[in-house]
Amino acid sequence: MKRTAFNDGWQFRPKQNPFAELGGLSTPYTDVTLPHDALIHEDRDPDGEGAVAYFPAGAYQYRKTFTPPAGLAGQRIVLEFEGVYRDATVHINGAFAGQRPYGYSRFTIDADRFLRSGEENLIEVESRHGGDSRWYTGAGIYRDVWLHVGPAVHLPVDGVRVSATDIEPDGAMVEVDVVVASTSNRRETVDVSVVLADADGTTVARGTVPVTVDANGQSRSRQRLYVRAPQLWSADSPTLYSAAVELIVDGAAVDDASAAFGIRRLQVDPVHGLRVNGEVVKLRGACVHHDNGILGAATFADAEERRVRLLKEAGFNAIRSSHNPMSVAMLEACDRLGVYVMDETFDMWTSTKMPHDYSLHFTEWWERDVESMVAKDFNHPSVIMYSIGNEIPETGSPAGGLTGRALAEKVRELDPTRYVTNAVNGMLAVMDDMKKLAAQRGDEGGGDAAGINTLMAGPAEFMNQIGTSPLVTEKTAESFGVLDIAGMNYLDARYVMDKELFPHRVIVGTETFPTRIDHNWALVTENAHVIGDFTWTGFDYLGEVGLGRAHHLAEGETPSLSGPYPWIAAWCGDLDLIGSRRPASFYREIVFGLRTSPYIAVTRPGNEDRTFYAGPWTWSDSIGSWTWAGQEGAPLAVEVYSDAEEVELALDGDVIGTAAAGAENRFKAEFTVPHRPGTLTATAIRRGERAESFSLTSAGDAARLATRVEHGTSEELVFIEIAVVDADGRVDTGADRLIDVRVDGDAALAAVGSGNPAPADTYDGPEHHTFDGLALAVVRRTGPGAVTVTVSAGDVIAPATVLLEELDHLGVAART
């Protein structure tokens, strides 16, 4: 079927009580273009829940009028919603057309039953959220909507599936599985034509077969086509092919569809680990939530691709979608850029984690939601495994074994070409047993072994202590037994012991503490049966506020895993909300063996009289800067990250000292340096010889605003990085300003914000404070005309002007 964007012409408002509207109380609709996050624009409640970044619960209404051309009578018309959060209901011309409780599933609506050809039709979508998640979800129609139109005999949505088998250097068999559907009242026969092309568009194989489909039925065509000397897809070489399919009647094409795909071979075993195309691969993984930082949950293809690119540039080669199915746009970006994907289904099964979460719908809807995810993923070579859940409490029970087995077998039935895992948390799996033991001891809190003081003193050790217990070994055996790869959350202590206990078990660290990457990566590299590590998290995200914040405790104060208002972000990402790399990112790159130069991070001064507490998701309270106005002479704590045996630190050429680094010292050397402006240089010492170096130079007085412009691939979004700099262009990390962003021309300001995890400003713009001298403005093109973006910060420093040239086409901004 022909697919066109259905994102324009929508209106939106908070859900209204129809009886109140009869009394004259009503809120007008506002014009919006999808994708749209209804929640990110709401006022936050300081007394609300930190888990959802202090945003309120709500319900929302969307509507759109649509007049199909008169010629569409008798055609198949389908609406595709990539994501509506959540409990979506769809009405067409007042009639109920469909629903989807899960906020992350793609779903379709058979619209032709309700539409009146040649007349104006009303499409209404309602959604609601609240008390249903442990992180920021966004709300409303936050992903793309598509209109599919085709003839009575047609190729349905997801009707083309491509897989490669029998892969050899000289050739591979590519199976193209095509579904032909019919709404005709009589039997029909059509020719199914398939053409495979390489990345340059050159035809590499073709085939045609006749297919007969019964009245109002479906038939399936499977063509096995031979591709000679295939170029294989991998993260290092993400080569894509395309399959073009046509339905032909009397020599003319009546419908068509296409799919991108990759040819690659996957193998996994405890002796070699994971192999892609015969080569051993260790997964350098990042967990990510689905929001796009200052854009909220709105899933723009350009933002998804930027996020994937930044993560790969920072050293990751794999992404885990936590804890919900990944967007189509992010999958496509992973395909193009070369990133392996672990796509995840649910954060809960039948056991509730929040009062109104998906567990209330799981038993009725899980099969359809799994089907939706696999249908979405099947053609994407980046997807190498499915996760059937995250930290599911039932995994330690026989009932959980039954549910896990049903999920795993359903996935295998739908897609036997990928592996199945489950992100199991050993402590949660035996939580009920721990409570029973505590009750038997008359200790409601679980005693010191499970008490909050022990937990806060060392969560990593606590989780491993429980996770390696015989109780967890016994209780999780069935849940791990249904999997191809045992996913383990915060269970690194099991990696080596399970090699002996379960010699056929392959393990992946589905979620790990960022502060233990040196320890965990050594386990990954030293043990073939451990195929990778996925840190929490690669990119900072909204909600779970303050999970990774640095605590500077006053006397008698205890640490908390949640930050007070106005905290908005978790602050545990290697990259912050706008994509800037934090010190942990450079440390991780060194541990991965991808960076030989040292890196310098300086602890923020001003809290020397307080006790510093860092939780397991917390990096040191440091930044890569030697600009500290007002701190002249103050002793500053300096960290140098390096894989070299030693590092030398010097200020303006004066050697401060030499200290051990490298793996034996957790890749870190520490110094205390009295501050004075200048150039701080760290030099790696390898086998007694000076090697690579890295420097930080103090910035002078802030003089102007500097910008760097990045155009999205689709040209819908433009990302403008803004920095407060001195006369020489150095970022002044200590000179934050309230910036003002104005857009003139065929565009609108989508968001302006910073990496600050606790901002006083909103992202609606046009004003926002920089953070450590940096900010980001996101501009959304609304037409092909030229655009002028002006960024100012009062009269003290010079503003910046960005000119965006006129486009020769409207691009994806219109998506037609």
Side-chain angles (χ1 to χ4, degrees):
M1 291 192 289
K2 179 177 175 57
R3 185 182 82 156
T4 56
F6 208 62
N7 288 335
D8 294 336
W10 289 86
Q11 293 184 313
F12 150 83
R13 71 176 182 179
K15 166 70 174 174
Q16 299 297 293
N17 184 323
F19 298 102
E21 285 191 292
L22 288 175
L25 298 176
S26 182
T27 300
Y29 280 90
T30 301
D31 293 339
V32 294
T33 300
L34 306 181
H36 174 253
D37 181 359
L39 188 55
I40 196 67
H41 307 291
E42 295 274 26
D43 293 332
R44 296 198 291 154
D45 179 6
D47 297 320
E49 294 291 332
V52 293
Y54 299 102
F55 282 91
Y60 305 95
Q61 295 174 293
Y62 291 81
R63 70 181 184 186
K64 175 185 171 103
T65 56
F66 169 58
T67 304
L72 292 184
Q75 297 281 292
R76 184 64 164 154
I77 303 175
V78 173
L79 290 175
E80 175 192 354
F81 293 86
E82 288 194 10
V84 182
Y85 201 89
R86 63 173 286 248
D87 286 329
T89 58
V90 181
H91 288 75
I92 300 177
N93 295 324
F96 175 77
Q99 69 179 120
R100 199 69 172 210
Y102 197 34
Y104 299 106
S105 280
R106 187 178 58 157
F107 63 97
T108 58
I109 299 293
D110 296 337
D112 43 59
R113 296 178 296 157
F114 306 98
L115 293 173
R116 299 186 291 264
S117 179
E119 300 180 29
E120 185 175 85
N121 295 264
L122 178 64
I123 300 170
E124 297 172 291
V125 180
E126 291 191 6
S127 67
R128 56 208 51 80
H129 77 99
D132 53 22
S133 178
R134 301 179 297 114
W135 60 86
Y136 176 87
T137 61
I141 310 178
Y142 69 101
R143 290 179 177 170
D144 288 323
V145 180
W146 302 92
L147 176 69
H148 298 259
V149 178
V153 181
H154 59 277
L155 298 166
V157 178
D158 298 323
V160 177
R161 304 197 336 168
V162 187
S163 59
T165 60
D166 304 326
I167 301 169
E168 302 291 345
D170 58 341
M173 293 303 301
V174 175
E175 180 179 282
V176 184
D177 178 353
V178 179
V179 173
V180 181
S182 175
T183 57
S184 170
N185 289 323
R186 62 178 184 174
R187 179 178 294 173
E188 304 275 3
T189 300
V190 297
D191 287 332
V192 177
S193 169
V194 177
V195 176
L196 304 184
D198 63 17
D200 296 324
T202 302
T203 298
V204 295
R206 64 170 67 240
T208 301
V209 296
V211 173
T212 300
V213 57
D214 260 333
N216 295 299
Q218 286 190 350
S219 289
R220 173 167 261 124
S221 162
R222 296 182 190 269
Q223 296 189 45
R224 285 170 53 83
L225 306 178
Y226 189 71
V227 175
R228 299 181 183 278
Q231 298 297 304
L232 303 185
W233 187 98
S234 69
D236 295 328
S237 180
T239 302
L240 292 173
Y241 288 80
S242 63
V245 180
E246 290 184 332
L247 298 186
I248 299 174
V249 176
D250 297 330
V254 297
D255 199 10
D256 62 82
S258 63
F261 69 96
I263 299 175
R264 51 114 176 92
R265 182 172 70 255
L266 300 178
Q267 297 167 275
V268 71
D269 63 64
V271 175
H272 304 92
L274 173 67
R275 285 180 287 175
V276 179
N277 304 324
E279 299 291 330
V280 174
V281 170
K282 295 292 188 178
L283 300 176
R284 306 188 301 271
C287 296
V288 298
H289 270 322
H290 71 291
D291 71 78
N292 268 300
I294 65 174
L295 286 166
T299 305
F300 295 99
D302 289 338
E304 297 284 72
E305 179 161 3
R306 178 176 184 265
R307 193 154 49 127
V308 172
R309 177 180 58 77
L310 291 175
L311 286 168
K312 186 166 186 180
E313 289 174 354
F316 295 106
N317 69 355
I319 292 175
R320 172 189 174 216
S321 65
S322 321
H323 307 288
N324 42 260
M326 185 176 283
S327 72
V328 174
M330 182 169 270
L331 288 173
E332 291 175 346
C334 290
D335 291 342
R336 290 191 300 269
L337 298 177
V339 174
Y340 302 112
V341 171
M342 177 194 298
D343 208 358
E344 196 154 82
T345 50
F346 312 114
D347 186 48
M348 71 288 295
W349 295 346
T350 58
S351 179
T352 182
K353 292 182 178 179
M354 299 294 288
H356 307 295
D357 64 22
Y358 177 73
S359 65
L360 303 176
H361 303 281
F362 177 83
T363 54
E364 180 181 355
W365 282 89
W366 73 263
E367 287 193 79
R368 281 170 283 186
D369 288 324
V370 168
E371 290 167 354
S372 172
M373 183 183 76
V374 175
K376 168 181 63 67
D377 288 5
F378 192 91
N379 293 328
H380 294 283
S382 57
V383 180
I384 61 173
M385 69 181 89
Y386 300 106
S387 168
I388 58 174
N390 170 67
E391 297 188 340
I392 305 298
E394 299 99 294
T395 51
S397 69
L402 284 170
T403 303
R405 193 174 302 279
L407 280 159
E409 292 308 317
K410 181 67 176 181
V411 169
R412 293 182 180 113
E413 171 193 329
L414 296 168
D415 184 357
T417 69
R418 270 100 171 180
Y419 301 115
V420 179
T421 188
N422 188 359
V424 175
N425 184 307
M427 184 178 71
L428 290 182
V430 298
M431 187 64 72
D432 287 343
D433 298 275
M434 291 172 62
K435 290 177 181 177
K436 290 177 183 177
L437 289 173
Q440 290 171 4
R441 292 196 307 267
D443 181 0
E444 187 175 340
D448 185 61
I452 187 64
N453 292 333
T454 300
L455 180 58
M456 291 305 299
E461 290 73 18
F462 177 81
M463 287 190 180
N464 271 323
Q465 177 186 351
I466 300 299
T468 56
S469 67
L471 179 65
V472 169
T473 300
E474 175 191 352
K475 292 287 187 177
T476 60
E478 182 174 8
S479 285
F480 280 133
V482 308
L483 307 173
D484 304 311
I485 300 169
M488 296 188 179
N489 282 18
Y490 310 111
L491 284 176
D492 50 274
R494 289 205 70 96
Y495 295 178
V496 174
M497 66 179 283
D498 277 9
K499 185 176 182 179
E500 301 299 326
L501 290 176
F502 305 96
H504 302 292
R505 180 176 286 181
V506 178
I507 293 172
V508 62
T510 36
E511 190 169 316
T512 63
F513 293 121
T515 51
R516 292 173 64 88
I517 183 57
D518 58 319
H519 168 79
N520 291 341
W521 194 245
L523 290 173
V524 172
T525 56
E526 293 167 4
N527 292 277
H529 71 292
V530 183
I531 66 172
D533 176 277
F534 286 80
T535 189
W536 192 266
T537 58
F539 221 100
D540 205 15
Y541 60 95
L542 305 177
E544 292 187 292
V545 299
L547 179 68
R549 70 184 178 127
H551 294 76
H552 299 284
L553 304 174
E555 186 176 352
E557 184 181 358
T558 58
S560 169
L561 288 179
S562 183
Y565 182 88
W567 275 79
I568 197 170
W571 198 232
C572 60
D574 276 25
L575 281 66
D576 68 18
L577 287 174
I578 63 173
S580 300
R581 294 180 67 180
R582 300 176 61 205
S585 174
F586 296 97
Y587 178 88
R588 184 183 306 278
E589 190 179 18
I590 290 169
V591 171
F592 282 157
L594 303 176
R595 177 188 174 98
T596 56
S597 298
Y599 185 79
I600 303 172
V602 181
T603 299
R604 301 175 191 268
N607 292 290
E608 292 77 11
D609 59 339
R610 290 172 172 255
T611 300
F612 177 67
Y613 170 82
W617 293 277
T618 304
W619 202 250
S620 60
D621 190 13
S622 60
I623 63 171
S625 174
W626 193 240
T627 301
W628 301 102
Q631 296 294 323
E632 288 73 11
L636 300 187
V638 176
E639 301 172 347
V640 179
Y641 312 143
S642 176
D643 63 346
E645 307 95 271
E646 292 181 308
V647 291
E648 175 194 89
L649 188 66
L651 180 57
D652 291 334
D654 298 330
V655 176
I656 295 165
T658 302
E664 292 186 357
N665 293 279
R666 302 199 65 189
F667 299 93
K668 183 188 300 183
E670 297 179 331
F671 301 85
T672 299
V673 183
H675 181 261
R676 73 170 187 268
T679 299
L680 192 64
T681 301
T683 302
I685 309 296
R686 302 182 186 278
R687 294 174 294 280
E689 299 292 330
R690 297 168 61 82
E692 305 87 357
S693 64
F694 174 81
S695 297
L696 296 175
T697 298
S698 303
D701 292 337
R704 60 186 174 89
L705 295 175
T707 59
R708 190 180 76 86
V709 179
E710 178 186 341
H711 295 270
T713 301
S714 73
E715 296 181 327
E716 180 177 16
L717 296 185
V718 180
F719 303 90
I720 303 174
E721 297 176 1
I722 303 161
V724 180
V725 301
D726 65 9
D728 295 320
R730 299 188 186 94
V731 177
D732 188 343
T733 55
D736 285 318
R737 297 286 195 277
L738 178 64
I739 60 170
D740 183 274
V741 182
R742 301 289 168 168
V743 178
D744 295 302
D746 273 357
L749 184 63
V752 57
S754 72
N756 189 348
D761 314 303
T762 69
Y763 302 133
D764 290 313
E767 294 183 334
H768 201 96
H769 285 84
T770 61
F771 179 66
D772 292 336
L774 302 175
L776 178 72
V778 185
V779 175
R780 188 178 190 182
R781 292 268 200 176
T782 57
V787 178
T788 301
V789 182
T790 304
V791 186
S792 59
D795 300 327
V796 180
I797 60 177
T801 300
V802 175
L803 301 178
L804 305 178
E805 295 181 357
E806 183 176 341
L807 301 174
D808 58 5
H809 62 286
L810 203 55
V812 180
R815 297 261 189 137
T816 57

